[in-house]
Structure formats: structure tokens, C-alpha cells
């Protein structure tokens, strides 16, 4: 009886190269808008009737309009983090509001690109009188991610995974005096104008019938042909967080807190097709076995 064993392997032809695609970010064709705005006023120190003139009231507004090269924690990114605080050192009364807007990009120069964005607001109050505090955080970015190192006409598959978490945390003493809201969205469009398109656009919080917490995730893939007419994805993302906290009345002790947050992540992995011009080598091994 004779048994036939076979094996095959795929090798590149002489002179051919295996595609090793990597991601880069075209900053000239990307845009970023981060904004944070906070305000805090503690009535125990002289409640502000109108206008920005009370010295014990703070109003901070910050703005970031471009990506920067990051430290060890990220390749590209930017953030703003304004904080307002109205505090009297002679009595333990304190009103504060803070906001965070941030986008980070990891994996430039590799086949895996990781993007994270966040908008967060948090207001806190410990007061013997009326108070008012507001905070807003906004993220708006369009990132053009190029695929480098692949010959024109080579098909590639991009695996993408996204995840988000959004929450609004009210703590009402009166009816509706602490409205919070968080929102986020994401879309992917390829160089030919196709692609998965809008992946999500959600909102949580008040006012309205929206839930106070929402989270979701998904894994999928998208195929494109490189170099027709270019090789890139446009990633449009947004997030916002808004918190307003006001005392239900003056002249009473109040302790209060409220906040909202959106966090989103996106991971893109380039999966190249085998290099053009491969040679299929079949090896046949014969093992003769004589039956006795």
C-alpha cells in the first residue's frame, strides 16, 4: 500500500516584495475643534445679579484648534481642561465647575490606529446660600488617515472596532434644575466616497425622553482598493457634554453635584492581501510502505 502526503506553501516571486501597509495622519487635511467653558458663582460670597463683574465669580473658556505631537502616551492629540471655582477661604463654602475635551491618536507608523475622544463635565456645590454653575465640553474632529506602503491597485481590508459609553448624572433637589446632556457620533468614509458611513449618533440626558446611560460596541470590516484615486479614510467624530446646576432657592444650605460624559474609541487595522505575483510551490512527498 502506498500513502501520498502533500504540502503547499506560498512564496513571493523573485524580485517581488510583501506589502507592509501602515497608517499615517495627514494633518494638512485634518481638522480639530476642542472647546471647554465653565462658570461658577457661590451666593454666599455675593450672588452675581447680572454681568461678569463680581470678582468671586469665575468664567473660563479655552479653545484648541489643531493636533499636536504627543508625549509618550499618544502620537497625536490635544486637550482642553478649564476649571472654575468660587470659594471663600473664611467659610467652607465652595462652588466649582470643570470640563474636559480630548482626542488622542495612537499607532501612527503601524498597521493599527487607535483613536479615543472624550467630553466630560462635572459640577460640585457646598454652599450656605444660592449657587449657579455651568460647564460645557465639545469635541469636533475630522481625521484623514492615509494608508502607506501599498502599491496602487492593491486591495486591502480594514477591520474596525468601535465602542462608546455615555452617561448623565443628575441629582435634583427641585424639578429639572440640574439638566445634563451628553452626545457622541462617528462616521467612516473611504477615498472613493464609500464606506460604512455613519456608525452611531447618540444622546443621553435631559431634557427629553433620552436615557441617562447608553453604551454599545461593534466589530466589522471594510474593503477598498488602494490608489483609486488615493488611499485613505476620513474619520469624522464628535462629542459634547453639558451640565447646568442651579440652587432651587436662596438662603438655604445646599450640597449638590451633577455631571455628564461621553467616551468613544475606534481601532482600525489594515489587513493586506497577499503580494501580487506569488508562486505556488507544491511539494509531493512519497512514502512507500510495502505490505508484507
Amino acid at each position: 500500500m502506498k500513502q501520498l502526503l502533500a504540502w503547499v506553501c506560498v512564496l513571493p516571486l523573485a524580485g517581488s516584495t510583501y506589502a507592509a501597509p501602515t497608517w499615517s495622519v495627514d494633518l494638512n487635511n485634518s481638522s480639530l475643534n476642542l472647546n471647554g467653558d465653565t462658570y461658577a458663582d457661590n451666593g454666599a460670597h455675593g450672588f452675581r445679579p447680572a454681568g461678569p463683574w463680581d470678582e468671586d465669580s469665575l468664567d473660563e473658556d479655552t479653545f484648541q484648534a489643531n493636533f499636536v505631537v504627543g508625549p509618550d502616551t499618544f502620537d497625536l492629540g490635544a486637550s482642553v481642561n478649564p476649571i472654575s471655582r468660587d470659594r471663600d477661604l473664611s467659610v467652607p463654602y465652595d462652588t466649582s465647575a470643570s470640563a474636559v475635551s480630548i482626542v488622542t491618536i495612537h499607532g501612527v507608523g503601524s498597521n493599527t490606529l487607535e483613536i479615543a475622544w472624550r467630553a466630560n463635565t462635572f459640577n460640585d456645590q457646598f454652599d450656605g446660600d444660592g449657587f449657579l454653575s455651568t460647564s460645557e465640553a465639545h469635541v469636533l474632529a475630522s481625521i484623514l488617515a492615509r494608508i502607506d506602503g501599498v502599491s496602487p491597485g492593491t486591495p486591502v481590508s480594514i477591520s474596525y472596532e468601535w465602542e462608546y459609553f455615555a452617561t448623565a448624572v443628575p441629582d435634583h433637589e427641585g424639578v429639572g434644575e440640574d439638566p445634563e446632556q451628553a452626545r457622541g457620533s462617528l462616521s467612516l468614509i473611504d477615498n472613493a466616497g464609500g464606506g460604512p458611513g455613519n456608525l452611531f449618533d447618540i444622546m443621553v440626558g435631559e431634557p427629553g425622553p433620552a436615557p441617562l446611560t447608553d453604551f454599545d460596541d461593534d466589530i466589522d470590516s471594510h474593503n477598498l482598493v488602494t490608489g483609486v484615486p488615493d488611499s485613505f479614510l476620513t474619520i469624522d467624530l464628535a462629542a459634547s457634554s453639558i451640565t447646568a446646576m442651579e440652587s432651587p432657592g436662596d438662603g438655604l444650605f445646599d450640597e449638590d453635584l451633577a455631571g455628564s460624559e461621553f467616551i468613544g474609541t475606534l481601532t482600525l487595522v489594515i489587513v493586506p492581501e497577499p503580494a501580487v505575483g506569488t508562486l505556488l510551490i507544491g511539494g509531493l512527498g512519497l512514502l512507500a510502505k510495502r505490505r508484507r
Side-chain angles (χ1 to χ4, degrees):
M1 178 181 179
K2 292 184 179 180
Q3 294 179 340
L4 180 65
L5 303 179
W7 69 91
V8 296
C9 61
V10 179
L11 298 176
L13 287 171
S16 68
T17 59
Y18 182 75
T22 60
W23 290 107
S24 65
V25 175
D26 186 343
L27 294 180
N28 292 327
N29 290 288
S30 299
S31 62
L32 174 67
N33 187 311
L34 301 181
N35 181 260
D37 192 4
T38 59
Y39 166 70
D41 190 13
N42 192 308
H45 315 151
F47 199 69
R48 181 169 90 169
W53 311 121
D54 277 3
E55 61 182 4
D56 61 353
S57 300
L58 299 176
D59 190 352
E60 297 291 338
D61 185 24
T62 59
F63 177 79
Q64 172 76 39
N66 57 346
F67 289 97
V68 297
V69 177
D72 295 336
T73 54
F74 59 86
D75 299 323
L76 295 167
S79 66
V80 297
N81 183 21
I83 299 175
S84 296
R85 191 174 189 182
D86 186 6
R87 182 183 183 188
D88 191 335
L89 297 179
S90 62
V91 292
Y93 296 150
D94 194 348
T95 300
S96 63
S98 62
V100 175
S101 302
I102 185 170
V103 178
T104 61
I105 303 174
H106 304 257
V108 175
S110 74
N111 75 322
T112 301
L113 198 66
E114 298 175 320
I115 301 172
W117 68 108
R118 178 189 181 201
N120 170 277
T121 53
F122 180 75
N123 296 14
D124 196 6
Q125 160 65 23
F126 184 83
D127 191 7
D129 210 326
F131 63 88
L132 174 64
S133 63
T134 60
S135 55
E136 295 189 18
H138 301 281
V139 175
L140 184 64
S142 182
I143 302 168
L144 195 149
R146 294 190 178 278
I147 303 173
D148 301 327
V150 184
S151 300
T154 303
V156 295
S157 177
I158 299 171
S159 171
Y160 60 88
E161 179 179 1
W162 55 261
E163 183 177 2
Y164 72 78
F165 173 79
T167 187
V169 185
D171 186 7
H172 297 306
E173 291 77 25
V175 178
E177 94 283 1
D178 294 350
E180 294 82 32
Q181 186 182 104
R183 186 166 188 167
S185 63
L186 173 66
S187 71
L188 297 178
I189 304 296
D190 66 23
N191 47 272
N198 293 327
L199 297 174
F200 62 81
D201 186 350
I202 63 96
M203 186 188 78
V204 300
E206 301 170 321
L212 295 182
T213 299
D214 191 11
F215 56 90
D216 201 359
D217 59 79
D218 192 24
I219 300 175
D220 209 335
S221 62
H222 176 65
N223 297 317
L224 60 84
V225 178
T226 61
V228 185
D230 206 340
S231 308
F232 63 84
L233 279 179
T234 299
I235 304 151
D236 291 323
L237 57 88
S240 65
S241 173
I242 299 174
T243 296
M245 193 169 69
E246 184 175 4
S247 57
D250 295 342
L252 300 174
F253 175 80
D254 291 303
E255 185 174 3
D256 199 3
L257 59 83
S260 61
E261 180 173 59
F262 176 89
I263 301 175
T265 62
L266 172 67
T267 301
L268 299 166
V269 181
I270 308 171
V271 184
E273 296 292 328
V276 177
T278 57
L279 177 65
L280 177 65
I281 301 176
L284 299 178
L286 298 178
L287 175 62
K289 192 174 184 180
R290 180 176 299 176
R291 177 181 295 176
R292 296 181 180 179

